[in-house]
Amino acid sequence: MNDYIVRATAAGNQLRAFAAYTKQTVEDARRAHNTSPVATAALGRLLTAGAMMGSMMKNDSDVLTIQIKSDGPIKGLVVTADSKGDVKGYVNNPEVMLPPSKAGKLDVGGALGHGVMHVIKDMGLKEPYVGQTVLQTGEIAEDLTYYFATSEQVPSSVGLGVLMEKDNTVKQAGGFIIQVMPFVEDEVLDKLEENIGKLPPVTSMLEKGFTPENMLETIFEGMDVEFNDTLPTKFYCNCTKERVEKAIISVGEKEIRSMIEEGKPVEVNCHFCNTNYTFSVDELKEILKKCKK
Ligand SMILES: [Zn+2]
């Protein structure tokens, strides 16, 4: 199964939903950043949520960023997604190792600790939308549920899961976001709560071979789910040497001059995909000329 997001509604548009399968996306992120298992789980959960939240935006140029700053050993993570299913991200400390949680799971909450989450939506307006919340558990799904309720005033249920193989590659990854519309009837809400109450963890459903559609069918059992469309999702970074060159120009003439005086090639790293771009002294001299224009 290739990675994709499905968009759906249920109970005659009283509920809307997104579900995703993201195994390859998370594995590609793991490989790019060489993340430890708990860092892979944290990043994978946020990438999965980011991909779905990105798909909620309308325009091709809209960009969503979720930024977590925390005091735990992972120190924080950043995910950026567009509306077309492309998502990228990184963790500040990819090597973090922790003993399993009491439930025997990867201790994502322990890795994150206390902190704040910013959700930034750049939709081409003068000012981007910024929502800020305090981390509730650091497990990411609960933190996003809290974010939707308090910052966007949309009651939601978020489920995210990443399961690792014994060799520390990604075995399963996926998740869902269910959102309740303001005109929802009480019976619909009661039925949804009942269904979610008995829902197995996302990783258990994926292990059973559930597709994103199957997950939503289970969540919306007896509630007339309607699938609207699907879109592929992937770990993708749009960095290029030209873009990095622009970033160098922005540090200013003085800084570039001192790089040239060092007499050595300069390596610039893209945080999002961990690609290194090397600029020779001659290339730096060319860049300096562009600064003066
Ligand atoms: Zn990149």
Side-chain angles (χ1 to χ4, degrees):
M1 181 161 49
N2 290 324
D3 288 3
Y4 69 97
I5 298 165
V6 61
R7 291 185 275 219
T9 53
N13 288 326
Q14 295 182 66
L15 305 167
R16 73 166 183 168
F18 304 80
Y21 180 73
T22 53
K23 176 186 169 176
Q24 195 59 48
T25 302
V26 179
E27 173 60 15
D28 288 347
R30 184 199 68 78
R31 222 178 301 156
H33 295 295
N34 199 17
T35 40
S36 69
V38 70
T40 308
L43 182 58
R45 289 181 196 176
L46 199 64
L47 285 168
T48 302
M52 289 189 281
M53 288 166 71
S55 80
M56 294 176 188
M57 300 185 300
K58 296 202 168 52
N59 304 312
D60 279 3
S61 57
D62 292 350
V63 177
L64 170 106
T65 300
I66 310 171
Q67 191 181 61
I68 296 176
K69 286 181 193 159
S70 69
D71 65 2
I74 203 165
K75 294 198 174 81
L77 51 163
V78 179
V79 158
T80 292
D82 64 20
S83 60
K84 299 171 301 228
D86 289 338
V87 62
K88 60 184 178 181
Y90 62 91
V91 304
N92 287 343
N93 177 11
E95 287 158 15
V96 56
M97 294 280 195
L98 282 178
S101 69
K102 278 180 197 145
K105 298 239 170 96
L106 289 167
D107 191 4
V108 171
L112 266 73
H114 304 284
V116 289
M117 180 165 72
H118 287 96
V119 176
I120 303 140
K121 291 187 211 173
D122 190 345
M123 296 176 286
L125 305 171
K126 228 178 212 169
E127 297 284 330
Y129 162 89
V130 183
Q132 181 185 327
T133 49
V134 173
L135 291 184
Q136 299 299 297
T137 62
E139 295 286 339
I140 298 177
E142 288 86 347
D143 303 311
L144 284 166
T145 300
Y146 182 77
Y147 158 77
F148 281 121
T150 57
S151 210
E152 295 198 12
Q153 278 90 42
V154 182
S156 305
S157 176
V158 182
L160 302 167
V162 175
L163 189 68
M164 305 301 291
E165 294 274 15
K166 286 207 175 70
D167 66 0
N168 290 339
T169 58
V170 177
K171 191 175 190 193
Q172 301 288 0
F176 62 81
I177 299 174
I178 312 296
Q179 300 203 306
V180 175
M181 298 297 107
F183 46 87
V184 71
E185 294 159 5
D186 287 346
E187 309 86 84
V188 172
L189 210 50
D190 290 348
K191 179 72 179 151
L192 178 67
E193 275 173 13
E194 186 195 321
N195 287 1
I196 287 178
K198 59 185 184 194
L199 192 73
V202 169
T203 48
S204 310
M205 290 192 277
L206 294 174
E207 274 289 86
K208 280 191 200 156
F210 276 35
T211 62
E213 284 86 348
N214 295 149
M215 283 197 275
L216 295 183
E217 279 161 357
T218 310
I219 293 165
F220 293 136
E221 200 209 305
M223 307 175 81
D224 296 328
V225 58
E226 260 181 71
F227 298 111
N228 301 324
D229 64 347
T230 62
L231 81 158
T233 185
K234 63 179 183 299
F235 184 78
Y236 172 76
C237 187
N238 55 355
C239 67
T240 58
K241 195 160 182 180
E242 288 70 42
R243 274 172 186 259
V244 176
E245 191 180 297
K246 279 191 188 132
I248 295 177
I249 291 171
S250 74
V251 303
E253 254 184 85
K254 197 178 155 214
E255 199 69 25
I256 298 167
R257 218 177 280 279
S258 82
M259 289 180 202
I260 293 168
E261 275 161 24
E262 292 265 324
K264 286 185 299 203
V266 169
E267 209 165 70
V268 182
N269 175 266
C270 171
H271 289 315
F272 282 101
C273 65
N274 210 17
T275 301
N276 283 319
Y277 293 91
T278 308
F279 292 86
S280 67
V281 175
D282 284 342
E283 282 174 309
L284 289 171
K285 285 178 183 164
E286 286 303 311
I287 291 170
L288 186 65
K289 282 182 200 160
K290 289 179 193 171
C291 280
K292 288 176 178 164
K293 279 176 195 165

